[in-house]
Amino acid sequence: MQYDVIIIGGGITGCAAAYEFSKYDFKTALLEKENDVACGSTKANSAIIHAGYDPEPGTLMAKYNARGNELAHELAKKLDIPFRETGSLVLAFSDEEVREVRRLYENGVANGVPVEIISGEEVLRREPNISDRVRCALWAPTGAIISPWEFAAALVETAVQNGVDCYLSSGVKRLSRKDGMFEITAGGEKYRAKYIINAAGLYADKVYEMAGGTGLHITPVRGEYFLFDKTMGGIVSTVVFQCPTKLGKGVVVAPTVHGNLYAGPDSRNADARDDTATHTEDLAYVRQMAVKSVPTIDFSQNIRNFAGLRAVAGDDFVVGESEIPNFINAAGIKSPGLSSAPAIAEDLVRILEGCGLALHRKEAFRGERRVLRINEMSYEAQDALIKENPAYGRVVCRCQTITEGEIVDILKRPVVPRSIDGIKRRCAAGMGRCQGGFCEPRIHDIMARTLGVPMKDILQDTEGSYIVTGETKED
């Protein structure tokens, strides 16, 4: 199969690139090694659309973060992605941290980001559960929160609807360049393309090395989190940062778009690129730092702990044509990668054009979508919909009020999830207090019936995460 451009990696950067490329008439494919998009760093992160005051002026991170924030606001509306304009606070508790807040303010001004310094009294007026030891804070009104999985899914679904091919379970095994074309073996198939976008996240350096590149090294950095029940969801209404250190942006306390609260992450180099285990001592550190900001967090309301990995390739992002002609890296996309992805995608189009790819806009590009969510509808609208289709009246996930009709809708989208966690990432079924204890068996059954496959073929998450292997009794 031959394409003009092949994107390697279905995280937020790859999905944003697919969406942006689908506006043009060149032929594009996305290859993802897992059985769904958003299964790497995009799956476990802070879900923040950063305002853009933190990156050093003049860096790629500063450039992409400021523009990406603007684009994320637009995309959330166009693609109907769960999104809240919360703003963000960076708290100062000491003289040194007051100076750091002033430095961040100057960064924000230089980066063109709306920021102001507010007093400790004003912080407590807005957020009374924050520690009364706060001296002042940086306020960034354009900070926001999003559902990162739904962000990625919305981008790639729209891309596929506009002609991009998405191949899941297609990890790259071989990659070479011959006669001006890249030849790729992935998922048992062979592909050819003139241009490669390397958005392979934690494995971007390995993909680059396959093509003969040198000098790119990815360090996996792990961060661990507490996720709290909705009983804690209103304890703060904005994203609450501590002053950054050499280890990162510090432990955050923030609401989620689904009504929960989380605290995290810490920052430690991981032993492996799939090292997402949690550790007692690291979670203890997260807890200690979280209560510094918000002392009244009730940790008995913790419903899940998890860890995510970010791909670090130095102090800045690595975006641009590499030493290999027409091989373009979008690597080391650590925080603020989620915020920056739409702007990186815009720039990748410019880079492709600079490499010689002719750009022609599609006249029939469809850049909007709408998602039916029962829990956001009025009772009158719900009643009318249920009369039309009773499946929308059968609640499957009681914690989040997700119905059978909504799950069936997801299974008819352009990129079909192949696992129960894939459903969860698209509608939050299973993310409530019971963490899927009640709804997952029913989702399992609905998926098998709707897709017309045996129940043993439905996975929990990635390949090999089987749930059942067969029947124990005959009828």
Side-chain angles (χ1 to χ4, degrees), residues 175-183 194 211 324-327:
L175 172 56
S176 60
R177 193 166 187 265
K178 182 179 179 181
D179 299 328
M181 296 289 289
F182 292 98
E183 297 182 348
K194 187 171 182 181
I324 302 168
N326 297 341
F327 188 102

Side-chain angles (χ1 to χ4, degrees), residues 51 80 171 197 199 227 229 294 297 319 338 365 374 415 418 442:
D80 200 4
I197 303 295
L227 178 67
D229 185 47
V294 185
I297 296 175
V319 179
L338 184 69
F365 174 75
I374 290 288
V415 179
R418 304 178 184 180
R442 292 192 62 193

Side-chain angles (χ1 to χ4, degrees), residues 235-267:
I235 197 169
V236 292
S237 60
T238 189
V239 178
V240 179
F241 291 98
Q242 295 170 0
C243 281
T245 69
K246 62 182 181 180
L247 295 177
K249 295 181 175 67
V251 170
V252 182
V253 177
T256 75
V257 292
H258 300 111
N260 301 85
L261 181 83
Y262 76 83
D266 63 337
S267 179

Side-chain angles (χ1 to χ4, degrees), residues 56 113 213 246:
E56 287 298 317
V113 176
K246 62 182 181 180

Side-chain angles (χ1 to χ4, degrees), residues 415-463:
V415 179
V416 179
R418 304 178 184 180
S419 69
I420 289 174
D421 282 2
I423 295 290
K424 177 167 70 172
R425 287 189 287 270
R426 285 161 175 78
C427 68
M431 287 188 183
R433 187 178 186 93
C434 80
Q435 287 292 286
F438 287 98
C439 64
E440 284 191 357
R442 292 192 62 193
I443 294 171
H444 193 171
D445 178 61
I446 292 166
M447 290 185 72
R449 282 191 283 109
T450 304
L451 298 175
V453 300
M455 292 189 76
K456 64 182 179 62
D457 290 351
I458 305 296
L459 300 172
Q460 180 67 47
D461 193 4
T462 53
E463 297 296 338

Side-chain angles (χ1 to χ4, degrees), residues 98-121:
V98 169
R99 289 191 291 272
E100 179 64 13
V101 161
R102 289 175 181 155
R103 184 190 71 81
L104 291 174
Y105 171 82
E106 292 168 1
N107 261 18
V109 171
N111 292 341
V113 176
V115 285
E116 65 174 305
I117 297 176
I118 62 175
S119 67
E121 291 79 8

Side-chain angles (χ1 to χ4, degrees), residues 2-47:
Q2 186 156 320
Y3 293 90
D4 295 305
V5 183
I6 285 181
I7 304 162
I8 300 174
I12 190 64
T13 305
C15 290
Y19 172 83
E20 196 65 29
F21 295 176
S22 72
K23 298 176 182 178
Y24 300 87
D25 65 2
F26 54 83
K27 193 174 180 184
T28 303
L30 183 148
L31 306 180
E32 166 54 43
K33 72 183 181 71
E34 303 293 353
N35 62 3
D36 199 3
V37 296
C39 281
S41 297
T42 306
K43 181 167 70 173
N45 60 64
S46 300

